[in-house]
Amino acid sequence: MAVLINKVLIEIPPKFAGRSPVNRESYEKYLHKEWSGAEGLAEDVRYYGKWMRDEAWKRIGHLYPKVQVPKELGGGMATVIAWIWARTIKCPNPACGASMPLVHSFALSTKKGTEVWLEPVVDFAVRRVSFEVRRGKGVPKGTVNRTGAHCIVCGTSVPFEYVREEGLAGRMGAQMMAIVAEGKGGRVYVVPQQEHEVAAAGARTQDTPETDLPEKALGFRVQLYGMKKHKDLFTSRQLVALTTFSNLVSEVRERVLQESDGNQLYSDAVATYLAIAVSKSTDYWSNLCIWRSDPKNLGIGHVFARQAIQMVWDYAEANPFSESSGNWLNNVQWLTLVIERAVSTIGGTAQQIDAAVLTNGFSRSLISTDPPYYDNIGYADLSDFFYVWLRRSLSGIYPDLFGTVLVPKVQELVATPYRFDGSKERARRFFEDGLSRTFTRMRDSGCADYPQTVYYAFKQSEAESDDNNNIGGAVFSASTGWETMLEGLLRSNFSITGTWPMRSEMSNRPVASGTNALASSIVLVCRPRSVDAPLTSRRDFLNALKRELPKALKDLQRGNVAPVDLAQASIGPGMAVFSRYSKVLESDGTAMRVRTALQLINQMLDEVLAEQEGEYDADTRRAVAWFEQFGMDEGPYGVAETLSKAKNTALGTLVEAGILRAQGGKVRLLSRGEFSSDWNPVTAKRLTVWEVTQRLIRALQEQGDTGEAAILDHVGAYGEVARDLAYRLYTMCERKKWADEALAYNSLVVEWFDINDAVEQLRRTTAEQAPLFS
Ligand SMILES: C[S@@+](CC[C@H](N)C(=O)[O-])C[C@H]1O[C@@H](n2cnc3c(N)ncnc32)[C@H](O)[C@@H]1O
């Protein structure tokens, strides 16, 4: 899979750079167009993708009837976006025996003010549940939760054990709950109509992949419920669609061959991209897709929102022919966007080789690699989900890549006990040995003139388990992945000369949305360690850290590394010190572990940030000390007095500076919202870094970059110090798990460059107009 993806990104586009499309229609439409890069190829993929849609519609369009929209919702016939289904089992209560819908959520749209949801309605006479579409507040709880399910008809609680038994016995069914369609004025939600149940039941599959799911694998749970084969992850209608589109890939290949006057390479290329569009569609056309009801993401949720194949109780079956989420043309469109942007000036090649046995052909190479991490993701098992469909269309073009029925597994570096008779220890050893061998190969094959780079992506499962309030440093320090990676590199005699956080994933993935998500990868910069690297003691290591870390951190701050990434980024300079020595000896003569070094680096980060307090004014130092203890909460006056003596300012000056409120023996910091609105940084009596920082954040939240720029333009050097303070406050909030506050300080830094651009912009415009502050 990975090799194929690399081929379509770096190998194929350059081969067809500057070519015009071969299909007559586009060729004539754009007769005088200069096709740059792989635009012509992208245009052909778009054209033949559309052709596939039209052909598929002729063959299977009858399975996707339009829906009758009730009069009160605008009437008429509407194209379906999705059918919403619930899995069902028979209620175990002998007196009931109803078909129990298993529903995680009845919500269809949670948009404030126009909520839509489903109400289960029971006909007690026949013990049958049907559904009504409701609007407004009041969505009922689902029938499945973490502990089990319950029957809406008789109220019996049903443990998962029973649900599994029914699934394994092949007795799990499905019931249509609702239809979502493209109404005249937007989405409409209607109750199931008979014609639609008939259409779904009428889909007859043939020639589908017959491969088995792994008995047990990382990230798979569906086998427990009776899904044993890859084809079980799709409804019959989805299988019909996938086989139809997949067959059409071969037909496109023939057509392009003819229309390009026998250009085999080109027709293979177009077919490859369209086969990938089919495999992308499997991610949206599976019975493991949820219906996402939140207004930001309203629509079909794809299977691989996480790198796992998880059970879904109520699923959304997308219509490939709609114009909404998950439709075929949409999936093709994503691909053409990539092809158009692919680098087409330099040719690349992608080959499949086991990294642990890299041999000749790789001497003096520049190596940049993103290795697997322990048992983080079961790549090979998961990629079979796509592979079985790609193989169907592409084994003729890439016989070597698709030689095996499923993805090759034996060489995969992954610490999964499932491959070692359940032994965690053997799995760990296999992974660590393999990783070490890989790093040693890398060190021996690398080119001495350049460093080698290794990517380390954050272990997302750890972050997600943290109620979505995870914040940077606290999480990474517990991560064995990090340690293994660093230990492996050190054991292979690399020294780490730098680490840089890098954003490499879309920010709307679940872990990032609405949370303080980390940079998705860290780049570790490595060079071979010299053979005569000295030994050192713990004390000297700490001294070296103390000497070097302050400047390194200042550089990271000046480079605008997000506060949320600072702890990870500081591992770089810290490890640069640690890995310079062949060993750091503890007082008992044993070698210091990477884990210990990481902890020491993290402690030092705190100290260095605290030392930066010397740059703040006395009022700010006091406010910081207070904040560390009480945050924005109230505290006793006496404590404030003591703190203020320690920091050498009088309490009254903080009140005067407008950042503190003291009343009735209690003291608290003013929240950003409470700051006076008639503030002017030019004439303010006591300007403090604290206030500037808080006001910058308030302006950013209320008015965006321009609001902040107006302030920044007038506070001079306070601006830079405010940014340093944001790092310090961020780190405090992270330790205290004050997620919202942490996010505010993080955004101030993240927006910094944009704000400075806005300052420039402001200066240009206010040169002619009256300034905001004077
Ligand atoms: C962290 S992922 C890299 C993801 C990649 N950067 C991307 O964006 O697709 C690690 C990759 O290493 C591959 N891998 C595991 N064992 C390997 C081996 N022995 N030789 C080569 N690749 C291996 C996995 O299949 C997986 O694709």
Side-chain angles (χ1 to χ4, degrees):
M1 284 289 305
V3 180
L4 184 76
I5 292 171
N6 277 315
K7 278 188 185 295
V8 301
L9 285 173
I10 64 168
E11 198 174 297
I12 300 179
K15 288 193 181 138
F16 306 105
R19 299 252 198 125
S20 36
V22 300
N23 79 80
R24 273 285 17 114
E25 189 182 301
S26 305
Y27 181 79
E28 279 164 15
K29 186 168 163 198
Y30 303 107
L31 204 52
H32 302 294
K33 182 177 160 65
E34 293 268 316
W35 297 88
S36 78
E39 279 176 353
L41 175 60
E43 178 60 25
D44 271 332
V45 170
R46 194 177 296 121
Y47 172 85
Y48 291 104
K50 169 81 173 43
W51 178 81
M52 282 172 72
R53 182 198 187 277
D54 297 343
E55 277 302 307
W57 179 252
K58 284 183 214 157
R59 298 176 197 185
I60 57 171
H62 60 279
L63 296 176
Y64 302 87
K66 288 195 172 198
V67 71
Q68 174 74 51
V69 179
K71 264 209 193 96
E72 64 275 19
L73 296 176
M77 301 300 285
T79 300
V80 173
I81 298 172
W83 292 269
I84 316 283
W85 297 86
R87 293 185 199 278
T88 55
I89 50 165
K90 190 174 161 200
C91 174
N93 173 4
C96 177
S99 170
M100 286 173 53
L102 302 170
V103 181
H104 172 71
S105 166
F106 285 112
L108 292 175
S109 169
T110 51
K111 191 170 179 188
K112 272 219 170 84
T114 55
E115 292 89 348
V116 187
W117 45 274
L118 286 169
E119 179 169 22
V121 180
V122 181
D123 181 340
F124 287 98
V126 290
R127 302 196 160 275
R128 194 182 144 76
V129 182
S130 60
F131 300 90
E132 293 293 336
V133 175
R134 304 270 184 243
R135 290 181 173 71
K137 295 212 174 338
V139 53
K141 281 212 171 89
T143 63
V144 192
N145 60 24
R146 277 167 184 271
T147 52
H150 75 267
C151 172
I152 320 177
V153 179
C154 71
T156 299
S157 294
V158 179
F160 279 126
E161 258 169 20
Y162 174 78
V163 181
R164 285 185 202 125
E165 270 169 32
E166 288 297 285
L168 285 169
R171 289 193 291 262
M172 195 178 272
Q175 177 179 355
M176 195 183 292
M177 293 198 292
I179 304 174
V180 190
E182 295 165 347
K184 285 180 195 139
R187 283 187 190 81
V188 288
Y189 302 86
V190 297
V191 293
Q193 295 170 4
Q194 201 194 2
E195 187 196 352
H196 286 258
E197 280 164 353
V198 171
R204 294 277 163 267
T205 61
Q206 52 178 334
D207 204 13
T208 49
E210 288 299 326
T211 43
D212 290 330
L213 288 174
E215 236 170 77
K216 280 184 173 174
L218 293 170
F220 276 83
R221 302 198 55 77
V222 294
Q223 304 91 320
L224 296 171
Y225 297 94
M227 297 166 129
K228 295 288 185 191
K229 290 185 173 283
H230 288 99
K231 68 175 185 188
D232 296 339
L233 311 180
F234 305 93
T235 67
S236 301
R237 181 162 48 187
Q238 285 168 333
L239 288 171
V240 170
L242 286 168
T243 47
T244 305
F245 277 94
S246 170
N247 293 343
L248 281 163
V249 172
S250 311
E251 294 180 34
V252 164
R253 193 175 164 212
E254 288 306 313
R255 274 201 62 185
V256 179
L257 192 63
Q258 279 167 19
E259 288 171 25
S260 64
D261 298 327
N263 189 337
Q264 185 77 52
L265 266 185
Y266 193 71
S267 59
D268 287 355
V270 175
T272 303
Y273 288 105
L274 287 167
I276 288 178
V278 176
S279 99
K280 184 175 173 63
S281 300
T282 59
D283 198 18
Y284 288 88
W285 303 351
S286 156
N287 63 23
L288 300 174
C289 292
I290 57 164
W291 178 255
R292 301 211 299 196
S293 59
D294 63 305
K296 264 198 205 148
N297 298 306
L298 198 67
I300 309 280
H302 64 136
V303 178
F304 284 90
R306 305 228 149 81
Q307 282 125 329
I309 293 186
Q310 288 172 318
M311 189 59 179
V312 168
W313 301 111
D314 37 315
Y315 56 87
E317 186 187 9
N319 178 0
F321 303 101
S322 84
E323 294 191 356
S324 303
S325 71
N327 82 71
W328 164 255
L329 288 181
N330 212 18
N331 296 339
V332 174
Q333 167 80 359
W334 275 106
L335 218 63
T336 54
L337 287 175
V338 174
I339 305 170
E340 278 165 1
R341 285 160 181 75
V343 174
S344 56
T345 41
I346 315 164
T349 54
Q351 291 173 53
Q352 188 177 27
I353 300 173
D354 180 355
V357 295
L358 266 191
T359 46
N360 42 10
F362 282 89
S363 60
R364 293 187 50 74
S365 304
L366 195 154
I367 300 177
S368 187
T369 180
D370 181 13
Y373 321 104
Y374 246 90
D375 57 352
N376 211 6
I377 297 167
Y379 287 102
D381 285 313
L382 292 173
S383 53
D384 281 332
F385 178 90
F386 299 104
Y387 179 89
V388 294
W389 292 101
L390 285 166
R391 183 168 192 266
R392 204 173 177 282
S393 321
L394 297 180
S395 58
I397 304 180
Y398 307 98
D400 292 343
L401 278 190
F402 293 98
T404 46
V405 176
L406 291 171
V407 166
K409 311 272 180 341
V410 184
Q411 302 89 335
E412 186 189 22
L413 290 176
V414 57
T416 167
Y418 302 126
R419 302 236 175 103
F420 297 91
D421 304 326
S423 163
K424 274 193 173 169
E425 179 50 29
R426 279 177 56 206
R428 184 187 64 79
R429 237 182 302 132
F430 169 79
F431 176 75
E432 289 184 1
D433 290 352
L435 199 66
S436 268
R437 263 187 298 142
T438 306
F439 287 151
T440 306
R441 291 267 167 216
M442 273 174 59
R443 199 205 50 218
D444 294 344
S445 329
C447 169
D449 300 340
Y450 297 96
Q452 312 209 15
T453 43
V454 178
Y455 295 74
Y456 174 74
F458 183 69
K459 189 172 173 179
Q460 300 185 3
S461 54
E462 277 176 354
E464 279 161 9
S465 62
D466 197 11
D467 265 351
N468 278 350
N469 271 340
N470 64 86
I471 321 179
V475 183
F476 90 79
S477 50
S479 153
T480 32
W482 250 121
E483 250 180 271
T484 317
M485 189 63 68
L486 292 166
E487 297 254 20
L489 284 165
L490 297 183
R491 225 180 308 136
S492 308
N493 288 326
F494 271 117
S495 69
I496 290 116
T497 58
T499 49
W500 285 97
M502 188 183 96
R503 299 195 187 270
S504 60
E505 322 247 330
M506 274 175 29
S507 60
N508 67 358
R509 68 194 209 284
V511 64
S513 41
T515 70
N516 246 345
L518 287 158
S520 32
S521 301
I522 302 286
V523 185
L524 296 161
V525 185
C526 316
R527 285 183 186 273
R529 186 173 48 226
S530 91
V531 278
D532 48 11
L535 289 169
T536 197
S537 65
R538 180 185 179 108
R539 215 177 70 205
D540 287 344
F541 166 58
L542 281 173
N543 285 337
L545 271 186
K546 235 179 220 143
R547 262 196 318 275
E548 296 178 35
L549 222 46
K551 170 159 185 323
L553 282 183
K554 212 52 189 190
D555 287 346
L556 290 175
Q557 287 171 303
R558 293 288 167 266
N560 233 48
V561 164
V564 62
D565 299 330
L566 190 67
Q568 300 227 20
S570 66
I571 291 177
M575 271 290 139
V577 177
F578 184 73
S579 61
R580 171 184 310 155
Y581 305 105
S582 58
K583 268 181 196 147
V584 174
L585 295 176
E586 297 278 14
S587 47
D588 63 0
T590 54
M592 184 183 282
R593 300 287 312 264
V594 167
R595 165 169 289 237
T596 315
L598 287 176
Q599 282 160 352
L600 293 172
I601 294 165
N602 208 239
Q603 278 167 21
M604 194 69 79
L605 166 74
D606 240 15
E607 285 174 32
V608 175
L609 288 178
E611 276 164 21
Q612 288 182 358
E613 276 190 23
E615 298 166 20
Y616 316 148
D617 50 274
D619 289 348
T620 298
R621 286 204 293 274
R622 257 274 302 293
V624 171
W626 179 266
F627 181 77
E628 184 164 23
Q629 220 165 333
F630 296 100
M632 289 308 202
D633 294 340
E634 238 175 25
Y637 190 86
V639 178
E641 271 287 299
T642 319
L643 272 179
S644 89
K645 282 200 189 103
K647 300 280 170 183
N648 214 8
T649 59
L651 203 58
T653 62
L654 278 145
V655 177
E656 200 179 306
I659 58 180
L660 191 88
R661 172 160 301 170
Q663 232 172 15
K666 295 279 185 196
V667 169
R668 69 173 173 83
L669 287 164
L670 286 188
S671 72
R672 290 185 277 278
E674 289 173 304
F675 285 146
S676 65
S677 51
D678 58 348
W679 179 73
N680 181 337
V682 182
T683 55
K685 252 199 261 162
R686 287 183 80 87
L687 198 58
T688 60
V689 175
W690 177 271
E691 184 172 10
V692 171
T693 311
Q694 303 300 345
R695 286 208 180 256
L696 282 169
I697 292 173
R698 177 168 140 181
L700 178 70
Q701 287 169 345
E702 288 174 2
Q703 302 153 11
D705 294 347
T706 42
E708 266 196 296
I711 298 177
L712 209 54
D713 192 24
H714 286 84
V715 295
Y718 277 77
E720 287 282 310
V721 188
R723 177 171 61 167
D724 289 348
L725 178 59
Y727 280 102
R728 172 93 177 106
L729 295 178
Y730 173 83
T731 318
M732 274 180 192
C733 296
E734 180 229 300
R735 303 247 181 278
K736 307 250 183 199
K737 301 213 179 303
W738 297 334
D740 288 344
E741 272 297 291
L743 196 62
Y745 300 117
N746 192 55
S747 5
L748 182 63
V749 179
V750 171
E751 293 288 318
W752 200 255
F753 286 132
D754 287 345
I755 301 165
N756 278 292
D757 283 349
V759 171
E760 288 304 315
Q761 177 80 21
L762 192 76
R763 286 189 183 147
R764 278 196 297 274
T765 47
T766 47
E768 298 126 38
Q769 300 159 10
L772 271 163
F773 299 115
S774 55

